[in-house]
Amino acid sequence: MPQPLEVPTVNGHAVVGVCLIRLERIRPKGMPEWAGMSSENMAHRFAIRYEDEGQGRDGVFIPRRDTDSTLVALLGGRLFPGYHHAAKFKVRDDEDALEMDIATAGGVADVYLRARWTNQWPGSRLFADLAEASAFFRRGACGFSCARDGRTLDGVRLHTLDWSVEPLAVDDVTAAYFSDLHRFPAGSLAFDHALLMRAVPHEWHQLGDVPELAQDFAR
């Protein structure tokens, strides 16, 4: 974790995860919907705490982003915050289940997920119920990632116009990034739960004031 970002714990555990994101009709504010673009995206995330105007705030650090959009991969970290790797996404989304298979260069961040819709909270080591989990992730609206130069941070804030999460029943999940024993020793990570958000209108805002890195950080 790049300094000065800090890793908080929930019931003695750090919280890390993979956010699988379908963006639809994304466009600069003020432009009509027909001018928007759609893409499949993935972000590996760590829950963090950081200082802002002398106060501790919740957020996320994003060490890696992936996308199936050539344009997003080209412009990310240049025209807008967030360097993106190119990846291939296979998605099956129907009335009963969700299946996602993401292939990255060299397999270093491949992800596979097979899950079913459910109304039942699956249980968690971290949170007592769905409401507690929802509140925790909602607080992490500000995301930071290392810029292309490796010496500064990019920052964006997610502003949701409506916030709603549902539980998912996960049948199978693998994540190559978190299975890398050079990063995470054997037994140091365990899958906890998955949440789903659908049809959430939202905006992304670039953060002008971001924490300064204590040293260069290799992506």
Side-chain angles (χ1 to χ4, degrees):
M1 183 64 61
Q3 299 297 319
L5 305 181
E6 299 178 355
V7 180
T9 58
V10 178
N11 289 333
H13 301 277
V15 182
V16 306
V18 183
C19 194
L20 305 173
I21 312 159
R22 173 176 293 169
L23 297 176
E24 298 179 339
R25 300 185 296 277
I26 292 294
R27 60 203 183 275
K29 194 168 185 177
M31 294 187 65
E33 285 193 15
W34 61 262
M37 61 176 290
S38 299
S39 62
E40 298 284 352
N41 306 271
M42 174 171 69
H44 287 71
R45 308 173 5 137
F46 295 73
I48 62 164
R49 291 280 288 174
Y50 67 100
E51 289 291 324
D52 180 31
E53 297 181 349
Q55 295 185 341
R57 300 192 186 278
D58 296 302
V60 294
F61 175 66
I62 305 166
R64 183 182 175 103
R65 289 184 174 94
D66 294 87
T67 182
D68 70 348
S69 168
T70 301
L71 188 62
V72 171
L74 177 65
L75 299 180
R78 294 188 173 99
L79 184 62
F80 53 84
Y83 173 84
H84 288 69
H85 298 266
K88 295 180 179 179
F89 289 70
K90 294 181 180 179
V91 181
R92 181 176 67 87
D93 183 0
D94 56 35
E95 294 181 357
D96 301 314
L98 173 67
E99 186 174 14
M100 303 188 72
D101 191 358
I102 299 100
T104 59
V108 296
D110 289 1
V111 166
Y112 177 76
L113 170 71
R114 188 175 74 250
R116 293 168 285 109
W117 320 131
T118 180
N119 294 322
Q120 302 298 317
W121 173 241
S124 166
R125 301 175 182 86
L126 306 173
F127 307 109
D129 52 29
L130 180 64
E132 189 174 293
S134 175
F136 175 84
F137 290 111
R138 189 172 190 176
R139 291 196 300 271
C142 291
F144 303 96
S145 57
C146 290
R148 286 180 176 268
D149 60 16
R151 298 186 299 273
T152 57
L153 289 175
D154 285 337
V156 293
R157 180 173 64 87
L158 171 64
H159 173 57
T160 54
L161 308 182
D162 183 25
W163 179 273
S164 177
V165 300
E166 308 169 39
L168 274 176
V170 174
D171 296 319
D172 191 13
V173 61
T174 59
Y177 183 93
F178 291 123
S179 299
D180 184 346
L181 298 181
H182 294 290
R183 291 192 179 96
F184 308 101
S188 62
L189 280 88
F191 174 75
D192 193 73
H193 69 281
L195 301 175
L196 174 71
M197 301 182 73
R198 280 191 180 275
V200 177
H202 64 280
E203 300 173 350
W204 298 95
H205 297 269
Q206 182 172 355
L207 294 173
D209 187 15
V210 299
E212 293 186 6
L213 290 181
Q215 60 186 19
D216 290 357
F217 185 82
R219 184 180 295 109

